[in-house]
């Protein structure tokens, strides 16, 4: 099966090279995705056609999709059935928080909403590459010049977030995406802490003091203690 990244149409003919409708070069869909996942080929919210699965976790799934109205490839992130209320709140917080950020080194959120079947979704820019964790697993360590390049881009993303009074609180290699062109992107502001009142007015507070959220190995000491004093440092 192949798909057109301009119109989102799926084609069964394996020998077809270009889309009959707009002459866009077709891209292949993983065979196991098409056979095993019923979401492949479905329209979401009347705007996004799912064409491939990118990954699945315990409570979420990410798909490659096409926003058919503008012919744009996107990554659609879904909350799967059975996610606890806190997980749903975190998902919506990620959508609202990240949508306020504009820096090129922060993953872009195009839209978020709810499909007809009740599933919550997040439409993000489609990235090609690997997470920093995947790169570290393959390389063992990153050469210092490359590491400096990645860190400087992360700092640029955080500078904007901190300027808006947002503290990421879960910054780790799994949440840094390194694109094929060398651009790094900060992802997953799902447990961000909002310090700025004006920003807070736009995003409802979904975490309470006394909770220790994040990944232990990458937490600041005050965060590990569950203190409500985490800041930009």
């Amino acid at each position: 099966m192949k798909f057109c990244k301009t119109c989102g149409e799926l084609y069964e003919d394996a020998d077809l090279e270009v889309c009959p409708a707009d002459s866009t070069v077709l891209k292949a869909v993983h065979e196991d995705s098409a056979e095993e996942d019923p979401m492949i080929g479905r329209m979401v919210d009347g705007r996004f056609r799912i064409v491939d699965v990118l990954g699945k976790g315990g409570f979420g799934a990410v798909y490659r999709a096409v926003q058919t109205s503008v012919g744009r490839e996107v990554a659609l992130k879904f909350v799967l059935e059975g996610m606890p209320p806190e997980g749903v709140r975190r998902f919506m917080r990620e959508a609202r928080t990240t949508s306020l950020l504009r820096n090129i080194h922060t993953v872009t959120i195009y839209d978020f909403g709810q499909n007809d079947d009740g599933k919550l979704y997040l439409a993000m820019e489609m990235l090609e590459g690997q997470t920093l964790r995947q790169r570290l697993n393959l390389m063992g360590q990153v050469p210092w010049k490359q590491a400096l390049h990645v860190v400087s881009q992360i700092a640029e993303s955080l500078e904007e977030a901190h300027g808006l009074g947002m503290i990421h609180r879960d910054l780790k290699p799994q949440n840094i995406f390194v694109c094929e062109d060398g651009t790094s992107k900060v992802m997953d502001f799902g447990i961000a802490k909002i310090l700025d009142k004006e920003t807070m007015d736009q995003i409802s507070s979904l975490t309470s003091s006394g909770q220790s959220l994040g990944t232990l190995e990458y937490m600041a000491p005050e965060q590990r203690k569950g203190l409500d004093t985490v800041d930009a440092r």
Side-chain angles (χ1 to χ4, degrees):
M1 182 179 290
K2 296 182 178 181
F3 75 95
C4 173
K5 67 178 183 179
T6 299
C7 67
E9 285 299 321
L10 290 163
Y11 297 97
E12 299 283 354
D13 187 352
D15 296 325
L16 198 62
E17 297 295 332
V18 298
C19 177
D22 50 44
S23 300
T24 300
V25 176
L26 299 178
K27 300 177 71 172
V29 174
H30 296 139
E31 291 184 10
D32 54 346
S33 299
E35 293 174 0
E36 298 177 7
D37 198 313
M39 293 292 287
I40 304 299
R42 290 184 56 183
M43 287 292 292
V44 174
D45 210 9
R47 295 180 293 159
F48 304 98
R49 185 184 300 280
I50 295 177
V51 295
D52 206 355
V53 61
L54 297 175
K56 290 186 177 182
F59 291 106
V62 182
Y63 293 89
R64 184 189 300 270
V66 174
Q67 186 175 355
T68 56
S69 60
V70 293
R72 174 169 60 191
E73 273 193 282
V74 301
L76 276 187
K77 183 177 181 179
F78 284 93
V79 171
L80 299 182
E81 295 180 5
M83 176 175 274
E86 179 57 38
V88 174
R89 288 195 292 269
R90 173 176 171 171
F91 183 87
M92 297 310 295
R93 183 189 187 93
E94 177 186 1
R96 295 191 179 99
T97 302
T98 313
S99 66
L100 298 176
L101 302 174
R102 298 289 183 269
N103 190 273
I104 190 175
H105 298 301
T106 304
V107 64
T108 300
I109 301 295
Y110 296 128
D111 202 357
F112 62 96
Q114 190 168 31
N115 194 27
D116 294 338
D117 59 6
K119 288 188 176 69
L120 297 171
Y121 71 86
L122 191 64
M124 306 178 289
E125 65 176 312
M126 185 68 213
L127 302 176
E128 302 289 352
Q130 58 190 176
T131 67
L132 183 56
R133 168 50 58 204
Q134 291 170 325
R135 180 161 293 194
L136 288 170
N137 288 343
L138 288 172
M139 301 177 65
Q141 69 181 55
V142 176
W144 72 267
K145 287 186 178 180
Q146 184 180 339
L148 183 61
H149 183 62
V150 171
V151 170
S152 66
Q153 293 181 84
I154 295 171
E156 187 177 318
S157 168
L158 296 181
E159 182 180 26
E160 182 196 26
H162 293 168
L164 291 172
M166 298 181 191
I167 311 301
H168 191 289
R169 292 201 299 180
D170 198 21
L171 197 64
K172 57 187 177 182
Q174 294 94 315
N175 286 334
I176 305 299
F177 198 92
V178 183
C179 302
E180 292 178 350
D181 64 0
T183 302
S184 298
K185 303 267 189 176
V186 177
M187 305 184 295
D188 197 352
F189 279 79
I191 63 169
K193 182 178 179 62
I194 313 302
L195 301 179
D196 184 76
K197 184 180 185 303
E198 183 176 347
T199 304
M200 195 69 212
D201 290 340
Q202 301 178 59
I203 307 170
S204 59
S205 179
L206 299 177
T207 59
S208 58
S209 61
Q211 290 181 308
S212 182
L213 299 174
T215 304
L216 190 63
E217 298 92 323
Y218 298 95
M219 285 183 182
E222 61 272 22
Q223 187 177 353
R224 294 176 68 168
K225 294 177 181 178
L227 301 178
D228 197 26
T229 56
V230 178
D231 58 25
R233 290 172 293 175

